[in-house]
């Protein structure tokens, strides 16, 4: 069976595991105060060109979204997101669990645009009953989006301007950030993210780590953020668990290499699909590839490949997703291409 | 510097790391549905003599307490705990964060007793205004307690009886369960826990794992428990992260061996302390050792050993804690003994 | 200045106030256990043809929605509502505050339809990742809706069938129920509501009371509902405050009379508007009347009448709302008509 | 039957009801923006000698405590209260419902003292693991306390000093404030409360109103407080409901007169009890009187008087509470005295 279902089917990259093994008997202070976590932070600060960034390591993406959004918002504020955003749809209400409404806006290919947000905010403040409504306090973006699409630096700058105009925080979910940064057609970089966002996270779980994400506050973390992490049940006693992994990922460009690896496989797969005249559901520049496939054909293929069901396209066709990852092997890729 | 500050200063045991490394390129389904998680569950069921137990793997202890207690309680119920219980004191209000009051009762050496709980419940239901009070819905025990003390099987049975009489759930926090089970003077076993508790967790973080705990529901998990884990931001995409570790820990008795290792070191240390006429603050049968030390002496010792400050004893003396762990080396132990 | 801005500009009807005054020195038990609250409950049970209904009196509409929805839902469930529903838009996130997501569906003139709900539920359960999504647990309807529109008995029955098919609760917000029941073209009655809903509330605040709503559970209230009211900060020490008012409202058909009064005024106003060729934004059968008005004309009228701004219609026109109420005087009505 | 069970057995004072009746047909803006609410605010500001105070009207005491404490605290902070405080015991966990822990301290006769609070705070900040604990953010006092006892101006000043030293808010629950202010031996005044507290509420429900309390922020209300009230489900559409009542209560000294009335009756009752050699459980200077009564005697008395059971004293005796109120009649009082 071939696996192109998602980008979190494997464990961790060997260099990550080796760093964990090499350091395992060292006695280190708990709760993220260890030297490897600090080393990882220093490397990330440097990669972000942001020497004062405050950085915390959490276990997973939904946890990052929940803890960070809850900490950035006042209790009466909500988070603006695309209707298709992960926090709006696929986190079992983790944001609402902390008391905050997700304010869902229209999207295009998974992306919010500055004009949509601005119109929403204008309408909100023009509404004379807005004191009886949920005050928008933050914009949530995912990059890549749930559809594999990307924001340009210019688009992010525009959204940032709207946020500043209306005193909103800007937060970016980088679960698959490694694949975005490795995308040739994208001009987005870590320093640009650090320039425009109040917070973002660099995804490890989907890019070579066993688990863990690095939350970056380019300016300043919310007050008593460690206590808030604990209050959410999200503080690792052994902070090293994630710190050591990110220390490995940000050594010798491993994180970038893993991103490029997935992108190379994805480019090959897209080229093959194009050649074979498959219909693309949308034009995703990253490692998630959405195609429209005949149901009969799909049934056949499903016997040999695991893919992700996305949605019904019409009576006879289905939208499916293939994902490559940092671990996708060339043999598997060629086998998939041969099969299609 | 010698480290006897806590039992989570090291990473994971080598066999745990090797199992992670060996399986890392295997493509596995997410969210705990992988074969290693299932294998670990099967081994734990067997160790608990409880073939129908439902088992979930979470990242850490506070997270287990938060997610499980929230799921076991009705929204208007609270959790009874010792005043010194971890959820009462050292989890930054993680239980209250989910809307539940911690109902704090008097303790002795960290332990609750059945009679205290029964009296509390009788008083509660005799109070004519109890509909205006937080309904007790669960008893929280830690085993070992925060003071290293243990419940006997008989004590647990008695508390269970009170719980049944008043329709309360019984939940046990086993962050250091490995050390309790390895204690020679204790008659507590996993099957006994499974017999009396509605839920308990087997701690990995403090007993040889990088991270992770195994939550055991001997009868049945709360409805939609996976969704509730997700809602709390606590669901690992790569469920294997903890599943593989517990699969290793419950292979060839590793979990027991690690517990015994710590206990042997602890017994040696206690013997040495007794011989040197140190004053014990309380009689802890497990790997946490509490002694009263002269402040001047402590200042000297603190230059070479990291210990845990517990509390002021009087003007001239301080209560400190030494902890041994699955990773405590004999050389370090002898060095500490020599120093004392 | 004429007031047609809303239906809660006046205090209480004189018969309500007199009942409060007449009984004010009587010494009564607290928390709703008094004889007037019980008398009111008995009268409401009778009006609903539902002798076993459990009835509670709360202070206001948002409070009812928050307390009842929170009590009917499991903690991991959300409430389906029209995008234009009061809980979705104008309650400052009171539902999310209790941890539940409002699942917003498309509406027509403020109404949800059974087919829309069914399709949503089918899609939800067909989605293989639905365990990672908010489980729909309840349907929220408002009757009249925020647009003054009404459900027919048949429409309610159909929605009830969907709810039963998917094990959802059905809850109806009757803030303006008095006006719905008094509408000649509507076949909805209190017994029909009691037949199909798991809970609904009969609005007092907007129909002749100083404050207060009667929450009706036709079958059974959620467990420990009094405690949950208290936990939400919503329990009146003097339960009589609302009980006495509803006792008056349900004596000699006062509630119905007040509803009819508003509807008669509304019918006259609609007839006049039709005659004067005003454009109706939508066809509301109740006491809220939505018309499209030229901005210049509106500016003039605004000098003498308070109306409710609804939304911009186009560059030159605005949608406004006039509302009649139980207290609308004939003189004021004629003055408004003369002005238009 | 005589009623001395509590001070909320009657409805509202006649002058309050008359003001409601007199104004009932006036068309007023909603949500507390009406002229009577504003007039009431102005009178309260004047009584507090605090011209810039921001004042809001809510429905009941638990609601005030929940909304105000939630708004004054950061999400990771808890509220210090006496173990016997209303929020700690008798509000069904309304504070925890909003995510905040109640940090319960030892009390004497229902009162907290500055030294106890200071010691707690010193210990907290000396505890090296305090980042893992609930940060104390506010001190909750009730005045009178649940035992009818009072703080002196000096005691309040001392507690205020501790709060300032540790950056805590000071909040006072004045459910029975009218009786405290009318107590001859007390030097506490509204201006002194306004000087030291960050917020307090003036109780109406127990002092002559049908319902309602006035929340006073002497300096400044928390940001977006109206929205937070709404979010808690606590905003009256007809803000006049409470505003008109407080306008009456603060006209011609009615609030003071009602307080004095209850205190005169209480003093007479206490004198009679003293004369008859009853044993006082504690020395309460206000309208709540706690006596120890022989169980046999109590059974007899209970046939003719409703009292409040407080607690078992010993095998043969019980602590009961008699409460006088603004509505206690002289005939009833004499009948009670004759009976005792």
């Amino acid at each position: 069976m071939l696996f192109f279902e998602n980008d979190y089917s494997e464990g961790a990259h060997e260099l990550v595991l080796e760093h964990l093994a090499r350091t395992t008997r060292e006695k280190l202070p708990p709760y993220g105060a260890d030297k490897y976590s600090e080393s990882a932070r220093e490397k990330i600060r440097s990669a972000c060109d942001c020497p004062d960034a405050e950085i915390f390591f959490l276990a997973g993406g939904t946890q990052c979204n929940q803890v960070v959004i809850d900490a950035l918002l006042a209790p009466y504020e909500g988070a603006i997101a695309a209707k298709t955003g992960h926090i709006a749809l696929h986190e079992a209400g983790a944001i609402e669990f902390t008391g905050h409404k997700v304010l869902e806006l229209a999207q295009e290919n998974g992306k919010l645009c500055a004009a949509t947000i601005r119109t929403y905010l204008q309408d909100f403040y023009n509404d004379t009953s807005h004191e009886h409504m949920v005050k928008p306090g933050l914009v949530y973006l995912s990059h890549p989006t749930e559809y594999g699409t990307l924001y340009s630096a210019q688009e992010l700058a525009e959204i940032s301007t709207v946020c500043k105009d209306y005193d909103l925080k800007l937060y970016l979910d980088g679960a698959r950030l490694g694949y975005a940064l490795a995308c040739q057609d994208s001009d987005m970089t870590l320093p640009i993210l650090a320039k425009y966002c109040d917070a973002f996270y660099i995804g490890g779980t989907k890019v070579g780590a066993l688990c863990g994400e690095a939350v970056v506050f380019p300016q300043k973390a919310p007050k008593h953020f460690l206590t808030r992490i604990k209050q959410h049940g999200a503080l690792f006693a052994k902070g090293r668990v994630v710190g050591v992994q990110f220390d490995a990922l940000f050594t010798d460009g491993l994180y970038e290499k893993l991103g490029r690896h997935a992108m190379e496989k994805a480019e090959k797969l897209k080229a093959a699909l194009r050649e074979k005249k498959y219909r693309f559901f949308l034009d995703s520049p990253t490692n998630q590839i959405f195609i429209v496939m005949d149901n009969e054909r799909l049934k056949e293929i499903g016997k040999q490949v695991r893919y992700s069901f996305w949605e019904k396209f019409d009576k006879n066709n289905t939208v499916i997703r293939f994902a490559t990852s940092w671990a996708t092997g060339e043999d598997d890729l060629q086998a998939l291409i041969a099969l299609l």
Side-chain angles (χ1 to χ4, degrees), chain A residues 312-330:
Chain A
K312 270 177 70 166
F313 185 75
D314 57 24
K315 222 171 45 181
N316 302 315
N317 294 279
T318 299
V319 181
I320 64 163
R321 184 189 74 175
F322 290 133
T324 63
S325 84
W326 60 274
T328 300
E330 185 66 19

Side-chain angles (χ1 to χ4, degrees), chain A residues 293-305:
Chain A
M293 197 171 275
D294 178 90
N295 293 343
E296 291 304 310
R297 184 93 186 81
L298 191 56
K299 208 180 285 177
E300 279 309 301
I301 285 177
K303 291 174 186 160
Q304 294 177 264
V305 190

Side-chain angles (χ1 to χ4, degrees), chain A residues 161-222:
Chain A
T161 299
V162 178
C163 288
K164 287 203 171 64
D165 289 351
Y166 286 90
D167 196 21
L168 269 68
K169 301 286 198 305
L170 180 53
Y171 168 65
L172 186 139
D173 177 338
R176 294 185 168 95
L177 189 54
Y179 305 130
L181 296 173
C183 179
Q184 288 188 325
D185 296 337
S186 168
D187 61 354
M188 190 69 79
T189 63
L190 284 173
I192 290 173
L193 290 178
K195 178 176 175 191
Y196 290 119
C197 296
D198 293 283
F200 63 98
Y201 80 83
I202 302 172
T205 298
K206 290 172 178 160
V207 194
L210 263 177
C211 66
E213 332 288 323
V215 176
V216 181
F217 297 100
Q219 284 89 43
K220 221 174 162 34

Side-chain angles (χ1 to χ4, degrees), chain A residues 9-24:
Chain A
S9 288
E10 290 92 0
H13 188 269
E14 284 70 12
L15 289 173
V16 169
L17 290 172
E18 282 166 24
H19 200 31
L20 283 169
R22 191 186 314 121
T23 59
T24 198

Side-chain angles (χ1 to χ4, degrees), chain A residues 87-117:
Chain A
I87 61 166
L89 265 186
H90 286 110
E91 300 193 347
I95 304 303
E96 290 83 2
F97 184 67
T98 64
H100 302 285
K101 187 178 180 74
V102 178
L103 303 160
E104 303 178 9
L105 298 195
Q107 50 79 40
E108 203 169 346
N109 290 339
K111 290 168 63 180
L112 281 177
C113 84
T116 304
I117 303 171

